[in-house]
Structure formats: C-alpha cells, structure tokens
Amino acid sequence: YILLGVALFTPLGLAAGIFYLLHHMIVKSSLFLSAGATETRYGTDVLSDLRNRVGREPVLTVVFAVAALSLAGPPPFSGFFAKLMLITGAVEAGQVAAAVIALVVSLITLMSMLKIFNAVFAPTVTGSFRREDRLVAETPPTSLRLVAPGAVLAVVTLALGLGAQGLFDLATVAAAGLIDTTDYVK
C-alpha cells in the first residue's frame, strides 16, 4: 500500500501513502506488542497452544481486535481511511487494476486477521475440559504492564481513524513537498 502511493506519484497518492505509512507503523507495533504480551504470558507462540483465551484475556482480546481490524481496514479505523485514499488515488490516476488488487489484498488481510483471532481468542467447541485448560483458567490474566503499550497504540489507531482529516492534511503538505522540491532546494 505504501509503495502504491509512491508509484502513483500524485498528490493524493503520495498523501495516502504517507498516511498509510504512519497508520501501519502504529498498527503493526500494537499487534507485535500484543503477540509479545501473549508469548511472555503463556510461553508459546504456537497458535493452537493459545486456543480459548477470550474469556480469560478480555483486555488483550480487545487490544488485538482493534489493531487487527485497523490493519484490515473497516471503518472507523485508520486503515479504512488510508486504503480508501489509496484506492481513490489509484482510480483518479487511471490505475483501476491497482485499486482492485488493493481491495482484494485488503480482503485477504481481513481473512488472515480473523483466522489468527479465531485461533487464539475464540472459545473451543469441545465437550471436554482438558487439564491444560483447567490450569490456564486458574491463572490470572496477562498483567496490564504487558498489555498497556499495545493498548495505547490501539487507541491511537482508532483516534487516527476518527480524526483522519487532521493527519491527512499533514500528509498532503508532506506530499506537496515531495512533488515540488523547489523550497527544499532553496
């Protein structure tokens, strides 16, 4: 998505690419911090070993869900506005195929985030209650100290989505500087 904005090299494309770059740094950091908190807490990064955490990790579940949804791009998350601007910029530049590919990749991203969410946070649908599940149920949830950094970034990405115009205005100024380098050269 970032390279699409650069490849378009139009004011809207560059502004959208800059917006997406900022959005992406925040969202991916939140996801990595959530994954790190989970791995630190449970001692594994194997998805199947992390099954059935939603009831025990409500804060971590919400943090991951907000960041994952922002990465996938439905409204009101920052990913929606970043992708909308990129797709609009591609269509305006006559690059309809690029816009369609961006939409398809967005759908694939949503499916992959749902797969991870279901693998880690969705409750199992089995009648048995394994010994491992009982041990996990008896332990406290992940400490707020581990969840807080990802939570702060999840709130930031939501705020960027709700206040997209402000960041987009700044990205537009930056894009104008990339297109017309006269002031920079002076």
Side-chain angles (χ1 to χ4, degrees):
Y1 290 106
I2 298 163
L3 289 177
L4 175 59
V6 173
L8 293 173
F9 209 76
T10 62
L12 180 57
L14 286 172
I18 292 167
F19 187 105
Y20 193 87
L21 175 68
L22 296 170
H23 142 81
H24 195 72
M25 289 187 305
I26 294 165
V27 168
K28 282 294 192 134
S29 296
S30 180
L31 287 170
F32 282 129
L33 288 165
S34 296
T38 303
E39 185 173 357
T40 299
R41 168 66 177 82
Y42 294 102
T44 183
D45 61 356
V46 178
L47 293 181
S48 60
D49 292 344
L50 296 170
R51 186 86 171 140
N52 198 16
R53 302 291 184 239
V54 73
R56 295 169 194 88
E57 299 287 348
V59 176
L60 189 57
T61 301
V62 170
V63 169
F64 180 86
V66 167
L69 286 171
S70 189
L71 186 66
F77 300 99
S78 60
F80 171 76
F81 297 101
K83 290 176 183 180
L84 177 64
M85 289 182 291
L86 279 166
I87 291 167
T88 302
V91 170
E92 284 182 4
Q95 301 297 325
V96 177
V100 170
I101 291 170
L103 284 170
V104 170
V105 170
S106 185
L107 181 60
I108 292 169
T109 301
L110 176 62
M111 291 186 315
S112 69
M113 290 294 102
L114 287 174
K115 179 180 179 180
I116 293 169
F117 186 86
N118 285 331
V120 176
F121 297 105
T124 55
V125 188
T126 62
S128 65
F129 195 60
R130 301 176 312 176
R131 179 180 177 274
E132 297 85 15
D133 293 337
R134 194 168 43 257
L135 291 174
V136 169
E138 294 169 357
T139 58
T142 304
S143 75
L144 195 54
R145 175 182 63 82
L146 287 173
V147 179
V152 168
L153 293 176
V155 169
V156 169
T157 191
L158 187 56
L160 286 178
L162 295 172
Q165 187 62 49
L167 181 58
F168 183 67
D169 291 344
L170 292 173
T172 301
V173 171
L178 290 172
I179 291 174
D180 181 12
T181 59
T182 308
D183 288 337
Y184 177 76
V185 171
K186 285 181 186 179

